[in-house]
Amino acid sequence: MVLLESLTTEGRQLDESKLFQTACTDEAALIEVLARRTIAQRQLIKEQYKQQVGKSLADDLDSELSGNFQKVVLGLLMLAPVYDAHELRTSMKGAGTEEAALIDILASRTTEEVKIINLVYKKKHDNSLEDDVCGDTSGMFQRVLVSLLTAGRDEGTAVDPALAVQDAKDIFEAGEARWGTDEVKFLTVLCVRNRNHLLKVFEEYKKVSGRDIEDSIKREMSGSLEEVFLAIVKCLKNKPAFFAERLYKSMKGLGTTDSVLIRTMVARAEIDMLDIKVEFFKMYGKTLYSFIKGDTSGDYRKILLELCGEDK
């Protein structure tokens, strides 16, 4: 298979004349090229490959590579919403559902990003993302995901102090202050209000209840519903810290949750990886680089370390 060799000159314009010069799969070249280029540059690489070879680069790599290294490489070739739609589809097809993918993506993306993911998913699979989510989940967890999918969160910045106090009281009375939990009230507030307003709600909630909202969610809920509400709150408070925690949990202890590790590294590489690395070190006293290096191997390790960047 023809592959990539020299693609940029000091990170500037792609050099089309020097493209794809080796005649076999060269994993080192793949890592060098794909992990060090922007998403936009990788789209140009795909276009040039098809022009010069007459085949899809993704299809060729899919047949040439395998395992976790293959998953990272193919993920890097996708546009962000395409990758998100792919991960959501993968999490639901076949036996069982990977709730972590549904939670990580839908709780962390902006309203505009969710709208685009919905469109991409529909075009690719001839079925709405909402229909597939409803067919694969149930109960209040499903209702929270559907609410996130509607992309109806207020994206403004205005804070209504009186409403923030009322929202805090409503959540408290729906949980800690009663027997049983009215999860709908949590949904109505956490999935609809804008970020600035909710940060004020969280402050007021601690005054009313004497606890952080996360602690109350853990006390009042369990399973996937607990996880999705916690993810929403954590992403609103500090999204890089949320992903740092996801990465840490994917690697600590016995075994590695590679799906979470791959999805997070690929999806966040060009968005907030530097911030995630800072939060990771603050939270765990070790670098993300060192964790990846100690928990993975081979070309899979090499490409993740390239996406991570320097050990600091």
Side-chain angles (χ1 to χ4, degrees), residues 29-38 42 76 302-304 306-307:
L30 276 174
I31 295 168
E32 167 73 21
V33 171
L34 297 181
R36 295 185 180 182
R37 301 299 183 267
T38 66
R42 290 194 287 266
L76 290 173
K302 291 175 184 176
I303 197 165
L304 289 182
E306 283 292 340
L307 292 175

Side-chain angles (χ1 to χ4, degrees), residues 37 71 99 103 123 137 197 208 266:
R37 301 299 183 267
K71 292 175 183 175
E99 287 86 358
I103 293 168
K123 183 177 181 181
T137 59
H197 180 86
V208 172
V266 170

Side-chain angles (χ1 to χ4, degrees), residues 27 54 57 86 90 110 125 147 174 177 210 218 230 247 251 274 294:
E27 283 80 2
L57 176 58
H86 167 78
T90 301
T110 66
H125 302 293
S147 179
K218 291 174 184 176
L230 284 175
L247 287 168
M251 292 182 282
L274 291 175

Side-chain angles (χ1 to χ4, degrees), residues 253-265:
L254 294 174
T256 303
T257 309
D258 292 296
S259 59
V260 175
L261 175 58
I262 292 168
R263 180 170 55 251
T264 307
M265 294 301 296

Side-chain angles (χ1 to χ4, degrees), residues 85 94 164-165 201 246:
V165 171
V201 171
R246 297 297 286 137

Side-chain angles (χ1 to χ4, degrees), residues 143-161:
R143 292 172 67 177
V144 175
L145 294 178
V146 169
S147 179
L148 294 172
L149 277 171
T150 61
R153 184 185 298 283
D154 172 17
E155 287 291 296
T157 58
V159 177
D160 183 333

